[in-house]
Amino acid sequence: MSKRTFGLAVAQVGGIQPEETRVEVVARLISMMRVAHQRGAELVVFPELTLTTFFPRYWTESLQASDHYFEREMPSGETAPLFAAARELGVGFYLGYAELTPEGRRFNTSILVDGQGRITGKYRKIHLPGHADNRSNLTHQHLEKRYFEVGDLGFGVFESQGIKIGMALCNDRRWPEVYRALSLQGADLVVLGYNTPLDVPGWSEEPHAKMSTHLLSLQAGAYQNSVWVAAAGKSGTEDGVYMIGGSAIAAPSGEIVAKTIGDEDEVVVTHIDLGMAEMYRESVFDFAAHRRPENYSIIVDRVGRGEPVPVPGFDREA
Ligand code: CDT
C-alpha cells in the first residue's frame, strides 16, 4: 500500500451573528488558517455560507433585499486577504459562500483554492433542503429553496495540491449518490461545509441522533467509496439558533480520526494517509470488478419511493 501523507484541517466556525462584518469574519478565518499551518496543515476546510450568518432562516419578500449576503466576485476586496494568506502560508482552502452571478443567478457555492491562492475548483449545491414558501409560524425557517437555484455544475473532481478533491455542501452529505459520483471520478478526498441547526421544525431528531446521523453520513460515504471525507460546520448559537458542531475527518475505513469538541472557532488537523484507501479500492470496493450498474437503473429512473419492481417468477397479482 503506498503511503502519502497530507496535512488536512477542518476549521469549525462558531456562530456568526447578523451584524458581524465580512472583514471580521475573514479575520477569524485567517487566524484559524495560521493555527492550521502551524500544525502542518496543507488544506483548510471551512463551512457552508462561511462569510455570513445562515441567512436562509429569514423570510424575505424580495430576493434583491438580501443581496448583501451574496458575493458578486471571488475574491473581492473583503475576501482577498484569505487568498493572500493562502499564498503567504502555502495553505489551500475550501470555502462556502453565497454566489450572485453577473446574470443575477443565486447559488449556494463552494470553491477550492490551492496554496498559491488560485481557485482550482467550484461547486454549486445540488441538494437544497427546506422550502420556498413563507412559514411565518416557525421560529426559524429553512429557505434554501427560495434563495438558491439548484447547482448547475454537477459533482466535479478537481486536481488541486497534488490530490483529487471532490466537493459537496451540507445536505449533500446525507445522499450516497454524491460520494459515489465523486469516487467514480477518482476522488481521494471529499470536502464539505455545513450548517445544521439542532432544532429543525418538522425534523425533530433528538440531539444525540442529530449528531449521530451527521457523523454516520460522513463515515458511510468515506467507507463505501474508499475516500477521505472532511466536513467543517458552524457551531454554537447564531442569532438564537443553535448549530451543531462535530466538524470531523473520516477515513476510508469509515472511522472518525479527528473531531472538534467545542462550540466555538476550533481547528483540528490530521495528517491523512492517502494510500490507506488503496486496500479498500483493490478489495471489497474494487468498483471495476464488483459493481453491477445494469441493476442500478432505478436509482436514476425513479426519484421518490414507489411500488416494487416486478421480479420474474413472483407475480404480485397472483
Ligand atoms: N444547510 C443544510 O443543508 N442543512 C441541512 C438541514 C436543513 S433541514 C431543513 C442538513 O442536512 O444539515
Side-chain angles (χ1 to χ4, degrees):
M1 190 188 341
S2 70
K3 187 174 167 75
R4 191 158 63 86
T5 56
F6 184 79
L8 180 61
V10 289
Q12 176 169 286
V13 176
I16 294 178
Q17 308 313 321
E19 63 279 6
E20 215 163 324
T21 66
R22 294 279 199 295
V23 172
E24 290 167 331
V25 174
V26 166
R28 283 169 65 179
L29 303 185
I30 290 173
S31 62
M32 285 198 279
M33 274 176 84
R34 293 193 184 285
V35 170
H37 172 63
Q38 281 160 12
R39 296 188 198 158
E42 295 163 73
L43 176 69
V44 182
V45 182
F46 292 118
E48 173 192 43
L49 300 177
T50 312
L51 299 169
T52 63
T53 201
F54 187 73
F55 64 86
R57 72 171 71 92
Y58 310 121
W59 170 255
T60 182
E61 287 295 338
S62 143
L63 285 179
Q64 285 72 23
S66 70
D67 280 354
H68 57 285
Y69 291 120
F70 286 75
E71 310 303 313
R72 291 172 188 272
E73 52 182 356
M74 187 60 68
S76 62
E78 288 158 321
T79 52
L82 269 175
F83 291 73
R87 280 191 294 276
E88 178 202 326
L89 303 171
V91 172
F93 63 89
Y94 159 104
L95 180 77
Y97 63 97
E99 177 188 10
L100 178 57
T101 73
E103 299 77 33
R105 303 178 70 190
R106 293 175 171 77
F107 294 101
N108 188 342
T109 295
S110 60
I111 49 167
L112 200 54
V113 176
D114 70 10
Q116 284 83 52
R118 298 176 298 212
I119 295 178
T120 49
K122 187 171 190 173
Y123 171 68
R124 290 171 170 161
K125 187 174 180 180
I126 288 177
H127 296 99
L128 297 173
H131 50 99
D133 56 316
N134 185 9
R135 302 186 184 173
S136 53
N137 56 319
L138 302 180
T139 52
H140 53 278
Q141 306 198 43
H142 200 106
L143 289 154
E144 286 193 58
K145 281 183 162 52
R146 169 149 182 81
Y147 280 99
F148 305 116
E149 291 181 42
V150 172
D152 61 352
L153 301 177
F155 295 106
V157 170
F158 306 94
E159 186 92 33
S160 191
Q161 299 182 268
I163 58 178
K164 293 197 176 87
I165 304 178
M167 286 187 277
L169 276 160
C170 197
N171 193 258
D172 288 322
R173 75 194 187 283
R174 304 183 192 277
W175 299 93
E177 295 86 350
V178 175
Y179 304 92
R180 185 54 54 94
L182 296 172
S183 183
L184 283 168
Q185 297 174 71
D188 297 305
L189 168 66
V190 175
V191 290
L192 64 96
Y194 61 95
N195 279 276
T196 299
L198 177 59
D199 174 26
V200 177
W203 180 4
S204 53
E205 279 175 310
E206 294 292 334
H208 59 84
K210 189 71 103 188
M211 182 57 72
S212 170
T213 53
H214 152 63
L215 294 174
L216 178 66
S217 300
L218 309 181
Q219 293 177 262
Y223 172 62
Q224 295 176 339
N225 295 284
S226 309
V227 292
W228 286 86
V229 176
K234 297 255 202 75
S235 186
T237 303
E238 265 200 2
D239 201 16
V241 176
Y242 182 77
M243 316 292 278
I244 68 162
S247 303
I249 297 173
S253 60
E255 293 162 291
I256 298 289
V257 297
K259 182 173 160 300
T260 57
I261 53 171
D263 273 348
E264 306 194 335
D265 290 2
E266 184 178 343
V267 182
V268 291
V269 179
T270 303
H271 292 84
I272 65 171
D273 171 10
L274 290 164
M276 179 185 177
E278 286 167 20
M279 186 276 287
Y280 293 98
R281 289 179 196 160
E282 291 165 9
S283 57
V284 59
F285 295 124
D286 180 343
F287 286 175
H290 306 307
R291 288 185 76 246
R292 295 284 173 250
E294 67 276 16
N295 288 288
Y296 305 155
S297 58
I298 193 168
I299 292 174
V300 287
D301 293 345
R302 193 179 278 187
V303 180
R305 286 166 66 91
E307 291 297 314
V309 174
V311 175
F314 293 87
D315 182 354
R316 278 186 291 124
E317 299 303 315

